[in-house]
């Protein structure tokens, strides 16, 4: 019995190969494969990234980036709104599947996950505070506090999701399983299809989480909240 290993990282969709194969036979071979292979090693990692502060950007940059943020969430930026701060966070999701291959019988082979690696975290989180703000002024303090709250939401959202992310990753083998390579099929093509199935299962979960996080972030950037924050400084300036 030969055993071959090769690592795969693919995100592109693959065209299905048209083979008329008996489902019951494929299930039998899949069960046979599952009876002799070990469960895949699963490694799940995460990182918050190192927070940076940037005080060199002005009105034009903050306006452009904030408009893009609202647009990406299907919203329009409030009229007459002049952003004085911004938090930019890139989430880093990566996935790698190391695939093993064994012979079953009658020319059929099995490709299966040998190792599953998944990572979710933040990459270069940056808080921008307008260079036009006077340091230690009321608006400066409000901007810093507002953006720090955004960052805290990101951190808490990641902490909350990580157990579910890990659980989903660990259950991929149970939910997706292995693939059988029939005579005439190319093992590497079937292995890529297996990789895509595993990736898509986890990716779907991550996409739902991303949308939930941004929904929470936009609540903080609501018109009502901005009015409340501006009034804080109006009261302070009147004193």
């Amino acid at each position: 019995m030969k055993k071959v290993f090769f690592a795969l990282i693919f995100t592109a969709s693959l065209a299905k190969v048209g083979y008329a194969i008996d489902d019951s036979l494929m299930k039998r071979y899949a069960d046979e494969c599952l009876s002799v292979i070990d469960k895949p090693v699963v490694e799940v990692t995460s990182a918050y990234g190192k927070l940076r502060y940037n005080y060199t950007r002005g009105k034009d940059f903050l306006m452009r980036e904030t408009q893009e943020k609202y647009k990406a969430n299907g919203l329009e930026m409030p009229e007459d709104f002049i952003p004085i701060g911004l938090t930019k966070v890139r989430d880093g999701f990566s996935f790698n599947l190391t695939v093993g291959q064994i012979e079953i019988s009658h020319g059929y082979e099995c490709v299966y996950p040998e190792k599953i690696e998944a990572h979710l975290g933040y990459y270069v989180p940056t808080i921008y505070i307008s260079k036009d703000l006077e340091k230690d002024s009321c608006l400066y303090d409000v901007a810093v506090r507002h953006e720090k709250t955004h960052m805290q939401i990101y951190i808490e959202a990641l902490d909350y999701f990580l157990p579910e992310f890990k659980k989903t990753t660990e259950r991929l083998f149970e939910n997706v399983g292995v693939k059988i390579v029939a005579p005439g099929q190319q093992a590497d093509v079937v292995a890529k299809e297996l990789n895509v199935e595993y990736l898509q299962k986890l990716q779907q979960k991550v996409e739902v989480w991303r949308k939930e996080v941004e929904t929470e972030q936009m609540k903080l950037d609501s018109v009502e909240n901005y009015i409340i924050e501006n009034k804080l400084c109006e009261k302070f300036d009147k004193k």
Side-chain angles (χ1 to χ4, degrees), residues 13-168:
S13 60
L14 299 167
K16 292 185 178 179
V17 182
Y19 284 95
I21 303 169
D22 181 73
D23 288 342
S24 61
L25 182 63
M26 298 299 277
K27 185 180 184 310
R28 193 186 90 196
Y29 284 138
D31 289 342
E32 184 178 334
C33 178
L34 289 168
S35 70
V36 297
I37 64 172
D38 295 323
K39 287 185 177 181
V41 175
V42 178
E43 290 185 2
V44 177
T45 57
S46 65
Y48 297 123
K50 186 176 181 180
L51 179 62
R52 301 178 183 181
Y53 285 84
N54 187 311
Y55 304 94
T56 66
R57 300 289 191 165
K59 176 183 175 181
D60 290 343
F61 170 82
L62 294 173
M63 182 71 75
R64 183 174 65 253
E65 293 294 323
T66 302
Q67 285 176 333
E68 284 298 317
K69 180 180 178 181
Y70 274 85
K71 186 178 178 180
N73 285 278
L75 301 170
E76 287 194 18
M77 195 168 75
E79 291 184 14
D80 302 323
F81 172 59
I82 301 176
I84 55 176
L86 175 71
T87 299
K88 290 193 72 175
V89 173
R90 302 181 205 168
D91 67 73
F93 165 64
S94 61
F95 178 81
N96 181 55
L97 188 72
T98 302
V99 177
Q101 177 183 343
I102 60 172
E103 291 181 351
I104 303 298
S105 58
H106 300 96
Y108 286 82
E109 297 179 328
C110 174
V111 290
Y112 63 94
E114 178 75 11
K115 186 176 183 180
I116 301 171
E117 297 169 278
H119 175 84
L120 183 64
Y122 298 129
Y123 176 70
V124 195
T126 305
I127 287 178
Y128 295 89
I129 303 298
S130 175
K131 66 179 183 179
D132 302 317
L133 292 178
E134 183 181 345
K135 192 173 182 180
D136 297 327
S137 65
C138 179
L139 277 177
Y140 178 94
D141 291 341
V142 166
V144 171
R145 186 179 66 180
H146 181 97
E147 301 311 324
K148 280 185 174 180
T149 303
H150 274 303
M151 196 63 229
Q152 191 60 38
I153 291 172
Y154 279 120
I155 291 172
E156 290 180 5
L158 182 59
D159 286 344
Y160 179 81
F161 180 63
L162 277 176
E164 188 65 27
F165 179 70
K166 183 177 181 181
K167 188 186 299 182
T168 301

Side-chain angles (χ1 to χ4, degrees), residues 217-234:
Q217 295 289 10
M218 295 312 295
K219 288 179 183 178
L220 184 63
D221 286 337
S222 67
V223 175
E224 294 76 13
N225 193 53
Y226 282 130
I227 291 173
I228 292 172
E229 290 182 342
N230 286 332
K231 283 184 177 179
L232 290 174
C233 286
E234 288 175 6

